[in-house]
Amino acid sequence: MAKLIIEGGRALKGQITVQGAKNAALPILAAAMLIPEPVRIGNCPRLTDVEHMAGLLRALGCRVDWTGDGLVVDAGCARTAALPEDLAGSIRSSVFLLGPLLGRFGAAEAPYPGGCDIGNRPVDLHLKGFRAMGVKVDEASGRIRCLGRPRGTEIALEYPSVGATENLLMAACGAEGDTILVNPAREPEIDDLMAFLNGAGFDLRREGSSRIRVRGGRRGHGTAHAILPDRIEAGTYLTAAAITGGHLVLRGARKEHLSALLTALKEAGCRIRSEGTDLDIEGPERPKELRRLVTLPYPGFPTDMQSQVFALCTVARGTSVLEENVFEDRFRHGAELRRMGADCDLRGRSAVIRGVKSLHGATVTARDLRGGAALALAGLRADGVTVMEQAERIDRGYVDFAATLRQAGAAIRREDD
Ligand code: EPZ
């Protein structure tokens, strides 16, 4: 168990270098299973979820080694297509392995990925797509068993699910015949996965914003790929500058992946300038309210930034309304923020947040990865000391979170039991 102890009231100042994106690293690591030769995945963040995924690949018979800033994965010696119960259950992203295992072996088996802290997290769209490709999918006794080589076809996704898009693209790489995915997700992490796969000799291309074509019948070869910068990590630290009235330069941030967030932060009164791949932000003394913010699939406002901006709104001048349209249970940080003096009403998918002049330190619990980050941001602003329990949840998505904030002037330290 880990705790963060934060003494609020300091404006952040300085520079932060953005790490590689967790939500690109995970599917790209899974995609390495398609390729029977060594691949190098650079700029890979050393996160607990990434270490878990590496463990799953090793359990499937792959060699996985950290070298420099990334991983070398050799799936040439992979021998089995069944994910072990004890490992696969620990992270939702184990479900990303179904597609590449099907594409490589024509078989895949995994425990049903549990729900998690932000909602039910079904995989029906993934399985429906596999069935459309002629794969036999059995869901008895809490495991998912897939059998049969995928056949290229046209698949229309009812919802632009990120994971389903990634899984189906990876299965399509090993399919006989071409696949067209209609209404795919448009997150930048999808394009990073496609760039990795195209670099390994597969052929995936977007046809406008609502179709992706995958040529079948190709065999992957070794390649090297550098993971794109993590837009959610960058957004989290931008919001840290906003809530503390600080001044930060984010090195390596891609502003074109952050436009919905940057619009919201400017509405809150931040001054933001971009120079090449750097973003320079100055937060206001006290943020303005966000009259209405709605989370949507990309390029809409990202659900993974909702809790951090929720924290910002708790100290705004007026009343903000946030609508969480992507996950059904992603306001659990609200009750924790109330313990710090926030004034907010949670009504299903909407949160009404009446800004208060100041928050006060309290003992709070990180209920999920991004909710934990939000509580830390609130602690940076609050009067007095905030103690956050279950802080290890933050390690899933941020490398050296406390140290990064400390080097930007925050009074924050971590205690591991
Ligand atoms: C990915 O999750 C990300 N995780 C999430 O980031 C992110 O919040 C989410 O995309 C949305 O951007 C990774 O990439 C590892 P979805 P994923 O499939 O793929 C419903 C973080 O904090 N749905 O787009 O699970 C689902 O229940 C994490 O970094 C179905 O109904 O997201 C949800 O309501 C959290 N059936 C909505 O779609 C399905 O088969 C969005 O899910 C699949 C999804």
Side-chain angles (χ1 to χ4, degrees):
M1 299 285 279
K3 277 183 192 163
L4 290 183
I5 296 94
I6 306 165
E7 190 180 338
R10 297 183 184 206
L12 298 188
K13 286 210 179 351
Q15 300 180 2
I16 291 177
T17 300
V18 182
Q19 302 281 327
K22 163 176 88 82
N23 292 349
L26 294 172
I28 286 171
L29 278 169
M33 178 55 72
L34 279 163
I35 300 150
E37 296 175 7
V39 298
R40 186 175 196 301
I41 300 164
N43 196 31
C44 196
R46 292 197 82 137
L47 299 164
T48 47
D49 275 11
V50 169
E51 297 286 4
H52 277 137
M53 180 61 86
L56 285 174
L57 291 172
R58 292 188 187 104
L60 292 166
C62 301
R63 271 195 61 87
V64 185
D65 302 295
W66 284 100
T67 54
D69 74 339
L71 284 166
V72 172
V73 181
D74 183 352
C77 29
R79 280 292 166 270
T80 165
L83 285 170
E85 187 81 35
D86 55 332
L87 267 177
S90 59
I91 47 164
R92 166 169 173 76
S93 33
S94 56
V95 75
F96 286 142
L97 278 160
L98 291 174
L101 286 169
L102 274 174
R104 174 86 181 274
F105 297 117
E109 187 179 325
Y112 226 88
C116 75
D117 327 300
I118 55 177
N120 175 29
R121 311 297 294 276
V123 290
D124 57 308
L125 299 178
H126 302 233
L127 304 185
K128 201 167 176 181
F130 291 150
R131 290 187 171 108
M133 299 175 94
V135 174
K136 188 177 173 313
V137 179
D138 172 56
E139 299 172 66
S141 62
R143 283 185 75 81
I144 301 169
R145 289 182 179 80
C146 304
L147 198 58
R149 186 170 191 72
R151 282 195 310 275
T153 185
E154 179 162 310
I155 304 168
L157 282 174
E158 296 149 46
Y159 177 88
S161 152
V162 171
T165 299
E166 291 163 341
N167 237 338
L168 295 171
L169 289 179
M170 293 188 279
C173 284
E176 283 153 23
D178 293 0
T179 298
I180 302 273
L181 203 48
V182 180
N183 189 29
R186 296 164 58 190
E187 275 70 3
E189 292 76 27
I190 308 275
D191 296 275
D192 208 41
L193 171 64
M194 290 169 63
F196 168 73
L197 289 165
N198 285 334
F202 294 105
D203 180 351
L204 302 91
R205 64 192 71 195
R206 283 194 185 273
E207 294 178 344
S209 63
S210 60
R211 290 163 71 90
I212 296 176
R213 174 187 296 277
V214 184
R215 297 259 183 249
R218 303 212 169 207
R219 188 177 182 282
H221 56 65
T223 186
H225 178 82
I227 303 278
L228 88 169
D230 192 320
R231 60 194 168 98
I232 305 302
E233 187 205 30
T236 302
Y237 292 126
L238 288 169
T239 310
I243 199 170
T244 60
H247 183 179
L248 285 178
V249 176
L250 272 294
R251 296 249 177 264
R254 295 252 181 99
K255 72 175 173 12
E256 67 274 19
H257 295 163
L258 285 158
S259 47
L261 174 71
L262 297 180
T263 301
L265 292 177
K266 285 173 192 161
E267 184 186 342
C270 296
R271 192 194 56 71
I272 300 172
R273 278 181 306 119
S274 67
E275 285 140 23
T277 59
D278 291 350
L279 274 176
D280 180 309
I281 182 168
E282 275 184 275
E285 176 62 32
R286 185 176 177 192
K288 290 195 209 92
E289 68 280 3
L290 299 178
R291 275 179 303 287
R292 183 163 175 267
L293 190 79
V294 180
T295 68
L296 288 167
Y298 192 89
F301 186 88
T303 175
D304 292 350
M305 280 304 306
Q306 177 261 108
S307 47
Q308 299 91 313
V309 168
F310 188 124
L312 179 67
C313 292
T314 64
V315 291
R317 295 174 185 284
T319 299
S320 308
V321 177
L322 304 189
E323 267 180 53
E324 172 51 66
N325 285 325
V326 177
F327 289 104
E328 70 267 13
D329 185 13
R330 205 169 195 175
F331 284 138
R332 298 176 74 191
H333 43 278
E336 299 300 316
L337 288 165
R338 274 205 210 98
R339 298 166 60 84
M340 299 175 72
D343 177 3
C344 54
D345 293 330
L346 307 176
R347 302 169 188 160
R349 288 192 178 245
S350 289
V352 177
I353 307 161
R354 288 168 292 275
V356 294
K357 201 151 175 35
S358 60
L359 298 172
H360 54 75
T363 298
V364 292
T365 303
R367 302 286 179 196
D368 61 82
L369 161 59
R370 306 301 176 183
L375 294 173
L377 299 192
L380 293 174
R381 173 77 187 217
D383 298 335
V385 177
T386 297
V387 176
M388 186 209 305
E389 296 178 337
Q390 297 192 27
E392 64 279 2
R393 289 176 188 256
I394 294 182
D395 299 341
R396 291 188 46 218
Y398 299 90
V399 176
D400 298 334
F401 183 71
T404 301
L405 288 169
R406 193 166 48 246
Q407 62 85 27
I412 179 171
R413 62 185 167 79
R414 177 184 173 123
E415 279 179 12
D416 287 283
D417 295 353

